[in-house]
Amino acid sequence: MHFFTYKGNELYAEDVPVRTLAERYGTPLYIYSYSTVLRHFRAYDEAFASYPHIICYALKANTNGALLRLLAKSGSGADIVSGGELFRALKAGIPPEKIVYAGVGKTEAEIMTALKNRVLMFNVESEDELREIDRVAGRMKVKAPIALRINPDINAQTHPYISTGMKEHKFGISIGSALQNYGLAARLKNIEVVGLQKHIGSQITKISPYVEAMEKILLLLDTLRSRKFRIRYLDIGGGLGISYKDEKPPVPADLARKLLPLINGRKLTLIMEPGRSIVGNAGILITRALYLKKGAGKEFVIVDAGMNDLMRPSLYDAYHHIQPVIMNKRAAVTADVVGPICESGDFLAKKRRMPKVNRGEYLAVMSAGAYGMSMSSTYNSRPQAAEVMVKGSTHSLIRKRGTLDDLVRDEVIPGFLK
Ligand code: LLP
């Protein structure tokens, strides 16, 4: 559910015509709906209201500070994977006691900063990392709270690039060696075991992988507790899918209905790390049709947003719905919607049946709020898109469009070239 709807034939972001925003701020333009983000966050919070829980929004989906501030004010925690994301989360006002820190490659400096800021826990992904956190914590004379990220060997039934919970993946500690690693954690003097974490993938559209993974993880949890480990936090990761095309993914209430009975009376705080399901359908990318070109059996619609702005179609062959901002009656055509970048992989849609586009008109690329701007780059020396947030009938720029100066700001010409 989101608040990008047509009123008459004109697309609105909440109560603001999208065309007004495109004219005012230019394109390519990311537009986010305040009410949609809030609604999605609350859907989690309300679904799990009967059980102690923390919703740790996965920053990687979208790190815009205004969006983070909105989530922080709503009571969200954060799932982070880098010192940069820690910096952003704290800056937005997310309390450190609601921050969980994942990632297979945490550096010494990042571990130090996280310890200094007293994050809730490190989700540890290897034995080497566990020893490193122990060493750094020892030097700082603190105890590091940790959970082990357990790879439950479950097929999340999603795109191979975003499936993470099978034994061939680089993530987490295999469930077979979990006890041995928890044993090691207990022996390390500067480590305090507080939790257990799993995350099996992203854009998951079925509930069964969650149930299967939960059953496996709870067996492990019970064994650990019988061995006197004080596991207080059970972190089930993120991954809930959204509807890009015609998927019907479970909603947080479905998750709660299936998972809470499995937890059945165990005393824990449940942690979730949703990213996409909070911001994915809360954002759209507006682009302008620059040129039209006849190809073999199809048309090319050349637009001013490229793979540098939205990488998902190129990288995962992901489907994003594309529709005219002003939807008047017209014929349907088959078209490739392509960007200005010098690669054949630069497309937003391929062989898409869609309304015939007019040169110069605005198009909305839907469901672009997650892994859109956060994965964007300046490839081909294209300054990054601007971002706007709409709340009711008000709108505000939340990130300025990149400039030409931004492209070269951090470059240094060495003395021998001067
Ligand atoms: N927790 C962990 C440990 C993760 O690795 C991820 C996502 C999440 C939570 C949030 O997952 P979500 O609820 O957003 O599915 N760039 C890809 C998605 C990569 C997901 C990486 N990890 C895409 O555009 O589809």
Side-chain angles (χ1 to χ4, degrees), residues 38-53:
L38 194 57
R39 182 190 182 110
H40 291 168
F41 177 79
R42 285 187 179 152
Y44 273 97
D45 212 19
E46 285 161 15
F48 288 89
S50 66
Y51 196 82
H53 69 274

Side-chain angles (χ1 to χ4, degrees), residues 155-383:
N155 185 351
Q157 300 170 37
T158 183
H159 190 286
Y161 282 14
I162 55 176
S163 175
T164 54
M166 292 171 78
K167 58 175 181 277
E168 64 261 37
H169 296 138
K170 70 177 177 180
F171 299 100
I173 289 165
S174 74
I175 193 151
S177 56
L179 289 177
Q180 180 197 329
N181 277 276
Y182 269 105
L184 168 65
R187 288 193 303 278
L188 294 173
K189 283 213 302 287
N190 311 301
I191 294 287
E192 185 192 2
V193 174
V194 298
L196 173 56
Q197 195 258 10
K198 66 100 181 136
H199 169 82
I200 54 173
S202 195
Q203 186 53 15
I204 301 170
T205 53
K206 295 192 184 131
I207 206 134
S208 51
Y210 278 99
V211 171
E212 228 184 297
M214 188 69 152
E215 284 168 343
K216 276 192 161 179
I217 285 293
L218 284 172
L219 275 179
L220 174 61
L221 182 115
D222 291 343
T223 310
L224 288 169
R225 281 185 159 177
S226 73
R227 298 186 184 185
K228 304 284 178 271
F229 282 93
R230 292 190 53 230
I231 307 286
R232 287 177 272 154
Y233 299 103
L234 175 60
D235 181 342
I236 61 169
L240 207 57
I242 62 169
S243 181
Y244 283 102
K245 191 177 186 181
D246 48 14
E247 305 90 331
K248 298 246 170 336
V251 294
D254 299 324
L255 264 193
R257 202 164 33 246
K258 288 281 187 189
L259 299 186
L260 288 180
L262 297 179
I263 295 175
N264 187 23
R266 291 175 182 88
K267 271 184 96 174
L268 286 164
T269 296
L270 194 60
I271 295 178
M272 284 152 279
E273 305 172 353
R276 188 191 319 264
S277 49
I278 294 196
V279 295
N281 278 326
I284 60 176
L285 171 63
I286 305 302
T287 183
R288 209 162 69 88
L290 296 175
Y291 303 108
L292 308 171
K293 183 157 124 174
K294 261 253 156 306
K298 62 184 174 190
E299 293 195 1
F300 289 104
V301 180
I302 302 161
V303 298
D304 69 357
M307 65 193 283
N308 70 303
D309 300 299
L310 181 64
M311 204 182 182
R312 304 194 68 258
S314 307
L315 192 55
Y316 316 112
D317 213 7
Y319 179 98
H320 284 262
H321 198 59
I322 302 180
Q323 57 201 44
V325 165
I326 307 292
M327 185 70 105
N328 36 29
K329 268 219 167 84
R330 53 182 103 175
V333 291
T334 300
D336 281 9
V337 181
V338 301
I341 286 181
C342 55
E343 295 206 26
S344 297
D346 177 31
F347 62 89
L348 298 178
K350 278 227 152 141
K351 291 206 177 128
R352 180 71 58 84
R353 208 57 201 155
M354 62 187 294
K356 187 169 173 51
V357 171
N358 299 310
R359 189 172 165 201
E361 82 172 307
Y362 294 121
L363 300 174
V365 184
M366 306 303 287
S367 315
Y371 307 107
M373 190 62 180
S374 66
M375 288 173 73
S376 71
S377 74
T378 56
Y379 184 43
N380 274 205
S381 288
R382 292 167 44 81

Side-chain angles (χ1 to χ4, degrees), residues 363-417:
L363 300 174
V365 184
M366 306 303 287
S367 315
Y371 307 107
M373 190 62 180
S374 66
M375 288 173 73
S376 71
S377 74
T378 56
Y379 184 43
N380 274 205
S381 288
R382 292 167 44 81
Q384 279 178 297
E387 295 176 292
V388 166
M389 185 179 277
V390 175
K391 178 179 185 236
S393 56
T394 60
H395 50 90
S396 177
L397 189 66
I398 58 171
R399 183 186 164 108
K400 289 186 206 153
R401 184 170 301 286
T403 64
L404 295 180
D405 275 337
D406 291 342
L407 295 176
V408 294
R409 169 162 314 132
D410 301 323
E411 293 179 1
V412 180
I413 306 292
F416 53 78
L417 285 176

